[in-house]
Amino acid sequence: MTLVEHSPLTRKLSAFVALSEVELAVLERLHERRRSFVAGRDMVHQGQSSQAAYILSAGWVCSYKLQADGTRQIVDFQVPGDFLGLRSVLLRTSDHSFEPIVDIEAAEVMTSDLLDAFAQTPRLATAILWAASRDEAMVVEHLVGIGRRDADARMAHFLLELASRLALVGMGSKDGYDCPLTQYHLADALGLSAVHVNRVLRQLRESGRVTFRDGHVTIHDHDRLVDLAEFDPAYLDQIGPLLK
Amino acid sequence: MTLVEHSPLTRKLSAFVALSEVELAVLERLHERRRSFVAGRDMVHQGQSSQAAYILSAGWVCSYKLQADGTRQIVDFQVPGDFLGLRSVLLRTSDHSFEPIVDIEAAEVMTSDLLDAFAQTPRLATAILWAASRDEAMVVEHLVGIGRRDADARMAHFLLELASRLALVGMGSKDGYDCPLTQYHLADALGLSAVHVNRVLRQLRESGRVTFRDGHVTIHDHDRLVDLAEFDPAYLDQIGPLLK
């Protein structure tokens, strides 16, 4: 078994496609240009062009859009196995910025690398389109969350989504996971104030559903958390490979 | 020149990739299963599985998510040249519903058709990933709009985005376009009440920027509308083919 068979992206794509030896080798080549980035310094700036995409292998990243008034809206977070800037590399100009939340490891992928990989194995192209579709489905869920869910349900939904995403790449379970996000990240992502985030987390803890403390999320009562969030994980499509 | 060279999807993808004869032929085959759908009746229901994707060739569609309380959040609108349910066909379960706003024409595309097309021409796979990335970028803009923009800027941004999208497929210009949306559609999409939509549209008209009346959007002052919306069309990536 080669190193890449253990990579988080490989684990994630395996939920969609049963990868052949050839496909694993092509994926491996996409991981060749390994790079490190330090926490807190943007990797890609909004408006930047000709940037690469990255495959995140360790650490957490947030992607955000700056508003004209200087505030920022966090669009989503990336965890190991996620692409960073896949959308931007095709759209040529990045419509958002990426900031590592902790020190991270990522593989740099050029547009030409992607095209070569797609030419060699179209199933991999489909799998990456699946991953992009899943990313879009998450943004849609966030849109609905901000538009329609109250603060408790929004937070519960967010924490459950992370639990599912992390479990897929072997970094957590239904019972909990390590999480480096601060209350400011949660506030920017969920459209709440930091004070409000604090109050919501306290309510979720006191109701015995979930505790987020000292960099760890502990899910005490998964079913009641799901009920509160009206969380249906179908949009994450983690039930096993469609393409055998 | 064959029929498919004129199809809206072909026009749209040509903004990203200069299509060869072979690629045009593969695209043509994707258009083979033509179907019609009547206005107001869902084509795909939220939660439905094993559905096809569609390439919209004529008419407008809205995609929306139903909330537990029975209200709906419109996620986005599809215009000719857009895929319907591309994300859902890969994610297996549709995370949203599609409703034709007027009678429409669309070509049905099975997952296996997509895979065959990708195997024949990987550049087409990349182009479709580009289109999916652009769809995601639009959802991100809507997320930011609902999270951060005031009602005037949100409406202005929405009308400008439609102008760009429609111009790309030859159905409008910077001066205006036909638009079958009602104030209820606008309200559901923008997170406003119908009364608020009415007031915002009146303000935009009275300020001499844009008039939306009798199924037509007339842009009187494109620059001032762009200023109000802080509209930067880079995320739509319409400046000409990246892949020659």
Side-chain angles (χ1 to χ4, degrees):
Chain A
M1 197 173 281
T2 62
L3 187 63
V4 75
E5 286 183 65
H6 296 293
S7 89
L9 176 62
T10 304
R11 289 188 70 142
K12 189 170 94 169
L13 296 185
S14 297
F16 176 71
V17 57
L19 294 161
S20 70
E21 287 299 317
V22 170
E23 287 156 351
L24 284 170
V26 172
L27 250 189
E28 187 165 19
R29 276 203 297 285
L30 285 183
H31 283 78
E32 265 168 11
R33 265 193 298 279
R34 290 163 195 279
R35 297 190 54 187
S36 301
F37 297 89
V38 298
R41 195 176 304 162
D42 280 356
M43 304 167 59
V44 173
H45 298 282
Q46 189 170 327
Q48 187 178 335
S49 55
S50 314
Q51 78 286 8
Y54 299 90
I55 299 167
L56 184 59
S57 51
W60 290 53
V61 173
C62 80
S63 63
Y64 65 94
K65 286 182 80 92
L66 269 183
Q67 305 305 298
D69 65 1
T71 60
R72 70 180 194 174
Q73 167 86 45
I74 291 181
V75 174
D76 48 19
F77 299 97
Q78 282 72 42
V79 298
D82 288 343
F83 272 96
L84 310 176
L86 179 61
R87 167 170 102 236
S88 306
V89 79
L90 293 174
L91 299 182
R92 281 174 277 191
T93 304
S94 185
D95 64 343
H96 55 306
S97 301
F98 284 104
E99 181 189 300
I101 289 169
V102 295
D103 292 353
I104 65 156
E105 305 283 331
E108 194 176 61
V109 181
M110 307 298 177
T111 314
S112 56
D113 301 335
L114 269 185
L115 285 173
D116 289 348
F118 289 180
Q120 287 165 55
T121 162
R123 274 160 49 109
L124 197 59
T126 315
I128 290 175
L129 183 58
W130 169 82
S133 300
R134 199 166 164 272
D135 289 348
E136 186 188 354
M138 286 190 255
V139 178
V140 167
E141 282 295 327
H142 297 177
L143 174 68
V144 172
I146 287 191
R148 304 283 161 147
R149 289 188 196 110
D150 68 23
D152 282 24
R154 210 183 294 178
M155 178 72 76
H157 200 280
F158 178 78
L159 295 175
L160 284 166
E161 182 184 88
L162 278 175
S164 290
R165 292 171 66 189
L166 290 163
L168 183 63
V169 292
M171 298 183 63
S173 72
K174 280 173 71 171
D175 299 327
Y177 49 89
D178 290 330
C179 177
L181 303 181
T182 66
Q183 298 198 349
Y184 297 100
H185 289 124
L186 297 175
D188 279 354
L190 300 177
L192 304 171
S193 70
V195 172
H196 201 170
V197 163
N198 206 22
R199 191 163 62 226
V200 167
L201 287 176
R202 192 176 63 235
Q203 283 164 356
L204 289 173
R205 186 173 67 241
E206 288 176 357
S207 72
R209 289 184 170 89
V210 62
T211 299
F212 181 11
R213 185 181 275 161
D214 299 333
H216 192 81
V217 173
T218 308
I219 298 174
H220 308 297
D221 191 333
H222 193 266
D223 290 348
R224 281 176 56 230
L225 198 59
V226 165
D227 283 349
L228 175 66
E230 292 170 1
F231 182 69
D232 175 355
Y235 70 101
L236 296 171
D237 189 39
Q238 300 187 174
I239 53 172
L242 174 66
L243 302 184
K244 310 293 182 193
Chain B
M1 196 173 281
T2 62
L3 187 63
V4 75
E5 287 182 66
H6 295 292
S7 90
L9 176 62
T10 304
R11 289 188 70 143
K12 189 170 95 169
L13 296 184
S14 297
F16 176 71
V17 57
L19 294 160
S20 69
E21 286 299 318
V22 170
E23 287 157 350
L24 284 170
V26 172
L27 250 189
E28 186 166 20
R29 275 201 297 285
L30 285 183
H31 283 79
E32 262 168 13
R33 263 193 299 279
R34 290 164 196 277
R35 298 191 52 188
S36 302
F37 296 89
V38 296
R41 194 176 305 163
D42 280 357
M43 303 167 58
V44 173
H45 298 282
Q46 191 170 325
Q48 187 177 334
S49 55
S50 314
Q51 78 285 12
Y54 298 90
I55 299 167
L56 184 59
S57 52
W60 291 53
V61 173
C62 80
S63 63
Y64 65 93
K65 285 181 81 93
L66 268 183
Q67 305 305 297
D69 66 0
T71 60
R72 70 181 195 175
Q73 167 87 46
I74 291 181
V75 174
D76 47 18
F77 298 97
Q78 282 73 41
V79 298
D82 288 342
F83 272 95
L84 310 176
L86 179 61
R87 166 169 105 237
S88 306
V89 79
L90 292 174
L91 299 181
R92 282 173 277 191
T93 304
S94 185
D95 64 343
H96 55 304
S97 301
F98 284 105
E99 181 189 302
I101 289 170
V102 294
D103 291 355
I104 66 157
E105 305 283 330
E108 194 176 60
V109 181
M110 307 298 176
T111 314
S112 56
D113 300 335
L114 267 186
L115 284 172
D116 290 348
F118 289 179
Q120 289 166 53
T121 161
R123 276 161 46 110
L124 197 60
T126 316
I128 290 175
L129 183 58
W130 169 82
S133 299
R134 198 166 164 272
D135 288 347
E136 186 188 355
M138 285 189 254
V139 178
V140 167
E141 282 295 328
H142 297 178
L143 174 68
V144 172
I146 287 190
R148 303 282 161 148
R149 289 189 197 109
D150 68 22
D152 282 23
R154 211 182 293 176
M155 179 71 76
H157 201 280
F158 179 78
L159 296 175
L160 283 165
E161 183 185 85
L162 278 176
S164 290
R165 292 171 67 189
L166 289 165
L168 183 63
V169 291
M171 298 184 61
S173 73
K174 281 174 72 170
D175 299 327
Y177 49 88
D178 290 329
C179 177
L181 304 181
T182 67
Q183 298 199 349
Y184 296 100
H185 290 124
L186 296 175
D188 278 354
L190 299 176
L192 303 171
S193 69
V195 172
H196 201 171
V197 163
N198 205 23
R199 192 163 63 227
V200 166
L201 287 176
R202 192 175 63 235
Q203 283 163 357
L204 289 173
R205 186 172 68 240
E206 289 175 356
S207 71
R209 288 184 171 89
V210 63
T211 299
F212 182 11
R213 187 181 273 161
D214 299 331
H216 192 82
V217 173
T218 307
I219 298 175
H220 307 297
D221 191 332
H222 193 266
D223 291 349
R224 281 175 58 230
L225 197 59
V226 165
D227 283 350
L228 175 67
E230 294 171 1
F231 181 70
D232 175 354
Y235 70 100
L236 295 171
D237 190 39
Q238 299 188 174
I239 54 173
L242 173 66
L243 302 185
K244 310 292 183 193

